[in-house]
Amino acid sequence: MNTATQSFGYGLTALLFCVAILGVCHNIKKAARKVLKSQQTHKGDLSQKF
């Protein structure tokens, strides 16, 4: 395999890996926001009941 082609392949693989990591982090961030929002509403419900 040509050295330039191999370098291009490694660069493309690294780029795709970074995009995948960013996608996973984005999903974790969305899930964390959803959990935090649900916890805040429960806290508000409890404080209103008492």
Side-chain angles (χ1 to χ4, degrees), residues 22-48:
L22 287 174
V24 169
C25 290
H26 180 69
N27 287 339
I28 290 173
K29 189 176 178 181
K30 275 195 336 190
R33 276 191 183 155
K34 190 179 289 187
V35 168
L36 289 174
K37 281 185 179 181
S38 67
Q39 285 179 350
Q40 287 175 355
T41 56
H42 291 310
K43 284 181 183 178
D45 291 342
L46 288 175
S47 64
Q48 289 174 359

Side-chain angles (χ1 to χ4, degrees), residues 3-16:
T3 306
T5 306
Q6 188 175 8
S7 292
F8 178 74
Y10 286 149
L12 191 61
T13 303
L15 184 65
L16 290 174

